[in-house]
Amino acid sequence: MPSHIFSEQFSQLIDKLNAMKLAHAKEPVVQISVEAKSIPLLSWLGAQTQYPRIYWHGREKQEEVAAIGACKDFKQEEEIDDELLASIYQSQRGKSSNQDIRYYGGVAFDRTVECWPDFGRTRFVLPRIELRRHGNIVKLLVNLNFENTDPQAECEAAIEAIKQLKPAKPLSPPNKLPLMGRSDLPNYQRWKELVEQVTQPKFNQTTPKVVLSRQTQLEINDVVDPWMVLACWQGRNPNSFQFGFQFSPDRTFISCSPERLYLRRQKELFTEALAGTTVRGLNQEEDDFLANQLLEDSKNSHENQLVRQQIVNVLTPLSNYVGADELAKIFKLTHIQHLHRSIRAELKAGVNDFQLLQGLHPTPAVGGLPKESALSFIRQREGYNRGWYAGACGYLNKYESEFSVAIRSALIEPGRINLFAGAGIVAGSDPLAEWQELENKLTTILSILVEL
């Protein structure tokens, strides 16, 4: 094993695993752990050669996670009945009483259509090895699957994974990429047609909101380090969720998303309505003026209120109590600012994460209203496969689960970077103004990747 800052801790974990070979496992899924002083987790993750490679950093910055390998891997490539998915999820919850066991992964924006390679319509992984940082302390965790496996072979597999770990090394320095070409799907002419269709009074009466989006493909010749890009993005938008999923060397999905789908702590649920956008000002006076303009703008206020009401409607039958901000506040990012309303609920006994994902995803902030007619329009007209863009990414856990809506995201592939942005189209939406909103939302990531 290469010289490693965690050599002592890895030796302790290997000793524990050797002892476990002879012991009878009390549960089908077991986790062992040791603690150490923290290191930069993205640098550690970028140095590893085992897949998947997973990164998660919550918006509140209380915890940062880097994980590699798979102890369990649930990937759905074909359409699957939601009841079957729910039963798989519930059965996994019963495999361990350990409240630290987490399954990291995501749910595609639209699970009824073909999925991206590697990612599936849904995919959740119980990693082989996790590093979870709180402050200056990092917890090193190893997960073991003793269900229908030979305990000795499972422990040996975990020991081998530890021996293959590489020391952390600095991420590659940021560099602007020479752009070989750019294409937008849909292009502006098609976008204009779609916005005009959605804003037609007859259509708008039955479907008051559709969130249209665009895939911007950047053709490049260079190899891109996704973790370097995510680290730079993280520096520009520190008050966002930051996460990445790399299931193979060929494709990495990264996101620096401001939007929470939900945070659940036992029966307590926190979510939000994030919709309505404007740019940031060049100085404090201009910034305040633009924020007040956004708060008073009837189109954006209406859009945010639609999102708030739909989330409340979904949560009401699942909850004993639902409370939502009556007045919107401003949520600021580097280049743009949004309207934001907080929503809190106390869940009824027995309500599980899968029911929450079914009900809340996709939110009206990325799909539209009513959900089914908006999704049908997107499916038939938008012209590309969103995959995990605008999907739900995060982790499932018995005690606490958290998911972000995967906006402000990129899919990095050999020779190409795919960027995504969307805009809520309601009555009164102007095609050119909404197209410019897409450009505003890509400003931060484009400024990292290419010369503007």
Side-chain angles (χ1 to χ4, degrees):
M1 187 165 64
S3 174
H4 202 295
I5 194 169
F6 295 140
S7 292
E8 183 183 336
Q9 285 78 17
F10 290 153
S11 294
Q12 292 173 26
L13 288 168
I14 288 171
D15 288 344
K16 288 185 179 186
L17 289 164
N18 280 323
M20 290 181 74
K21 289 178 188 177
L22 307 172
H24 179 69
K26 293 185 175 70
E27 293 183 313
V29 175
V30 173
Q31 186 180 78
I32 60 173
S33 67
V34 295
E35 287 189 352
K37 286 188 176 179
S38 184
I39 61 169
L41 293 197
L42 271 174
S43 298
W44 178 85
L45 187 63
Q48 304 313 309
T49 56
Q50 300 177 64
Y51 295 89
R53 298 196 283 185
I54 296 168
Y55 180 79
W56 174 263
H57 200 177
R59 196 171 65 187
E60 277 72 33
K61 303 295 168 287
Q62 294 171 351
E63 180 187 68
E64 182 184 25
V65 179
I68 57 124
C71 167
K72 287 193 166 195
D73 190 346
F74 299 92
K75 181 184 179 188
Q76 173 215 347
E77 290 185 295
E78 303 302 323
E79 198 160 358
I80 186 171
D81 180 74
D82 273 350
E83 294 305 315
L84 182 55
L85 269 182
S87 68
I88 292 169
Y89 162 75
Q90 284 296 87
S91 72
Q92 289 309 307
R93 281 170 60 95
K95 303 295 183 190
S96 175
S97 57
N98 186 336
Q99 291 192 347
D100 272 343
I101 298 287
R102 286 186 190 171
Y103 295 82
Y104 298 89
V107 178
F109 170 75
D110 186 349
R111 289 188 293 108
T112 69
V113 300
E114 191 179 345
C115 55
W116 287 347
D118 294 346
F119 290 86
R121 301 181 191 216
T122 65
R123 188 166 185 178
F124 284 91
V125 170
L126 175 63
R128 175 62 79 194
I129 296 168
E130 290 180 65
L131 274 59
R132 294 187 199 165
R133 181 186 65 77
H134 288 266
N136 294 322
I137 299 297
V138 65
K139 188 183 281 190
L140 284 65
L141 306 114
V142 176
N143 295 308
L144 300 152
N145 172 22
F146 290 126
E147 187 178 28
N148 305 319
T149 60
D150 173 43
Q152 192 156 345
E154 179 67 358
C155 291
E156 279 296 339
I159 290 170
E160 186 56 35
I162 293 171
K163 288 180 176 178
Q164 288 181 31
L165 292 174
K166 309 295 183 192
K169 62 181 182 183
L171 292 167
S172 54
N175 65 308
K176 305 284 187 181
L177 300 165
L179 189 58
M180 311 305 292
R182 168 178 166 162
S183 59
D184 294 312
L185 192 65
N187 61 23
Y188 178 70
Q189 190 53 44
R190 177 60 176 157
W191 172 266
K192 186 171 181 287
E193 290 170 8
L194 292 173
V195 172
E196 288 169 351
Q197 288 172 23
V198 173
T199 53
Q200 281 180 358
K202 188 175 180 182
F203 180 88
N204 202 251
Q205 279 179 357
T206 57
T207 310
K209 178 179 180 181
V210 176
V211 181
L212 296 175
S213 74
R214 184 186 76 194
Q215 178 184 45
T216 297
Q217 293 190 332
L218 308 179
E219 304 297 332
I220 54 169
N221 268 342
D222 293 17
V223 175
V224 180
D225 178 355
W227 309 113
M228 177 274 290
V229 176
L230 186 56
C232 292
W233 210 351
Q234 190 177 61
R236 307 279 183 95
N237 273 345
N239 54 340
S240 290
F241 292 92
Q242 295 120 23
F243 50 90
F245 292 89
Q246 187 177 31
F247 295 108
S248 77
D250 285 342
R251 290 176 192 85
T252 311
F253 181 66
I254 59 173
S255 179
C256 206
S257 171
E259 187 170 355
R260 167 175 284 145
L261 182 65
Y262 73 83
L263 166 65
R264 177 190 61 79
R265 291 192 177 115
Q266 292 185 318
K267 289 184 182 179
E268 198 171 20
L269 184 90
F270 303 90
T271 182
E272 62 197 20
L274 191 76
T277 307
T278 192
V279 294
R280 295 294 303 271
L282 296 174
N283 53 49
Q284 189 63 52
E285 187 180 5
E286 187 181 17
D287 203 51
D288 291 343
F289 173 77
L290 289 166
N292 288 327
Q293 206 174 39
L294 180 61
L295 287 166
E296 293 168 4
D297 181 78
S298 58
K299 178 260 178 190
N300 281 291
S301 295
H302 175 60
E303 184 184 346
N304 189 275
Q305 185 66 16
L306 285 174
V307 173
R308 172 195 176 277
Q309 193 54 52
Q310 171 64 12
I311 293 171
V312 168
N313 292 346
V314 166
L315 288 176
T316 297
L318 302 174
S319 309
N320 295 318
Y321 159 85
V322 181
D325 288 349
E326 286 297 329
L327 299 175
K329 299 182 179 70
I330 294 291
F331 189 96
K332 293 181 184 290
L333 295 165
T334 307
H335 289 103
I336 56 176
Q337 40 195 337
H338 296 288
L339 291 179
H340 176 276
R341 282 179 168 92
S342 295
I343 300 166
R344 184 186 155 269
E346 181 191 300
L347 299 172
K348 290 179 179 176
V351 171
N352 64 50
D353 284 293
F354 195 81
Q355 288 170 278
L356 295 172
L357 285 170
Q358 276 182 310
L360 292 172
H361 171 67
T363 73
V366 293
L369 284 170
K371 182 192 282 190
E372 288 312 317
S373 61
L375 289 183
S376 177
F377 185 91
I378 292 166
R379 201 176 290 138
Q380 293 171 31
R381 311 285 178 87
E382 199 168 59
Y384 80 97
N385 180 3
R386 289 191 185 187
W388 278 26
Y389 161 64
C393 291
Y395 64 85
L396 297 163
N397 170 277
K398 263 192 171 182
Y399 168 73
E400 176 181 287
S401 298
E402 185 165 32
F403 284 86
S404 171
V405 182
I407 55 175
R408 310 300 126 75
S409 53
L411 176 66
I412 298 172
E413 301 176 288
R416 184 168 65 199
I417 300 173
N418 306 277
L419 305 177
F420 308 93
I425 309 303
V426 296
S429 290
D430 173 64
L432 187 57
E434 301 296 349
W435 183 263
Q436 186 56 50
E437 182 176 314
L438 303 183
E439 290 297 311
N440 294 340
K441 288 174 176 175
L442 293 185
T443 300
T444 302
I445 184 61
L446 281 172
S447 70
I448 293 167
L449 294 170
V450 297
E451 294 289 353
L452 294 178

